[in-house]
Amino acid sequence: MDLDDILDGLRADRSLGASEFSGMTAQAVTAMYRKRVLCARALGLLDIALFAALAFWSIGAHQLLLYFVSIAGIFAPALVARPFINKLFERTLDIINRDCDTAKFRGFLEQMASRAILGRTKRQAACYLAVCDIFDARWTDALERLGGVSFGKRSPMRFQLINTRLLSYQALGMTDKAVAALEDMRRMHGDMRKGTAIEQLMRRSIGVAELRLRDVESWSEEDAAFLLACGREARNHRERVEFALAIARYLVARGDAEGARTLLDLDLLGPIAPNAEHVRAELASRVAQACPQSPSA
């Protein structure tokens, strides 16, 4: 099996380095995030005030075109602020996606949730906290946290919620519920416009979930090629590590200890989330039993 693509991707992740938040505490990340959000909102309010004043002036000056431009300017901040704030939040995801620091991201989310006023913000925080539970192998905690959480039918957060439940059910051996969650994911995927980023992500996630529900001994070369393609197209380091470990599982099941050893090198995989490290250590132990040379650790 040609592992060059995924190995090159992991090396590229290493060369990229840590995130901008790597040297900060959870409190410092929260303070930075809130400061940037407040600045964005303050600029939005200033924009509204200026365009409102211009609108009143244009009425007195009988400048109809300028009036309509001013009205458009008043509503512009509402259209721009939300995507800007969403982008700010997406940058904090590097804490888990690049640094794999679940403790820091959990601390950031807990502080944000404690100050949240909107129900949507609290639900979003709960969903990402459940993701932290997954990365910390706290499967039951993730399911309990998501017990009363829901999102809109087409919301990307609903997809993440279903996927988090699915992973938890699989890890806990609750196969029937995992299959039911997979069906929910398939139905949601069927409602998505084909070719969009979220539709492609869901299609890939469904394929991975289907593999997880099968014994690794039944995986074919086509399944392994699918995992390699997923690893090549991974959006971040954490995802690439997960696919590398899935391929290592396949190689161990096929008796390819040397190929698996290459993918289990902690110097290559690190940083690594706690649940992924547990999988790596288990596979490394099996490789060590199959081949006397000690694997990298």
Side-chain angles (χ1 to χ4, degrees), residues 168-280:
S168 299
Y169 291 141
Q170 288 176 333
L172 294 171
M174 304 169 70
T175 306
D176 290 346
K177 290 188 175 182
V179 170
L182 179 57
E183 287 303 316
D184 286 344
M185 190 180 292
R186 285 172 176 153
R187 281 192 290 271
M188 185 175 179
H189 173 255
D191 292 335
M192 293 293 165
R193 185 161 58 89
K194 298 297 183 272
T196 60
I198 184 64
E199 184 273 332
Q200 294 175 8
L201 174 61
M202 292 179 69
R203 177 158 28 94
R204 187 180 71 183
S205 298
I206 289 170
V208 173
E210 289 171 344
L211 279 182
R212 287 177 177 271
L213 286 171
R214 291 165 43 200
D215 292 333
V216 66
E217 287 77 11
S218 72
W219 292 3
S220 66
E221 292 182 4
E222 289 75 16
D223 295 328
F226 166 71
L227 291 173
L228 279 172
C230 289
R232 182 172 56 250
E233 299 166 4
R235 297 170 299 172
N236 54 65
H237 172 70
R238 176 192 54 76
E239 280 190 359
R240 203 178 324 274
V241 167
E242 291 175 355
F243 288 118
L245 291 175
I247 296 165
R249 285 185 62 207
Y250 168 81
L251 294 176
V252 169
R254 289 297 181 97
D256 185 354
E258 287 303 322
R261 189 195 307 279
T262 302
L263 289 175
L264 296 174
D265 185 350
L266 192 54
D267 288 337
L268 183 68
L269 293 178
I272 187 169
N275 67 328
E277 168 55 22
H278 176 76
V279 173
R280 189 205 72 86

Side-chain angles (χ1 to χ4, degrees), residues 158-167 181 184-185 188:
R158 180 170 179 264
F159 162 68
Q160 181 167 297
L161 182 149
I162 295 172
N163 192 48
T164 303
R165 285 175 173 161
L166 173 58
L167 292 172
D184 286 344
M185 190 180 292
M188 185 175 179

Side-chain angles (χ1 to χ4, degrees), residues 74 83 85 115-116 131 151 197 215 226 241 246 262 264 289:
I74 290 174
I85 293 173
R115 302 178 182 182
V131 170
F151 294 94
D215 292 333
F226 166 71
V241 167
T262 302
L264 296 174
Q289 294 173 13

Side-chain angles (χ1 to χ4, degrees), residues 89-101:
F89 182 79
E90 287 175 7
R91 288 173 62 183
T92 68
L93 291 175
D94 280 348
I95 297 171
I96 53 173
N97 289 335
R98 283 176 60 179
D99 303 336
C100 297
D101 192 339

Side-chain angles (χ1 to χ4, degrees), residues 120-141:
R120 182 184 183 279
T121 302
K122 292 182 177 179
R123 293 195 304 273
Q124 184 180 38
C127 201
Y128 279 106
L129 281 168
V131 170
C132 288
D133 291 335
I134 290 289
F135 296 153
D136 287 336
R138 293 165 48 178
W139 318 105
T140 302
D141 290 346

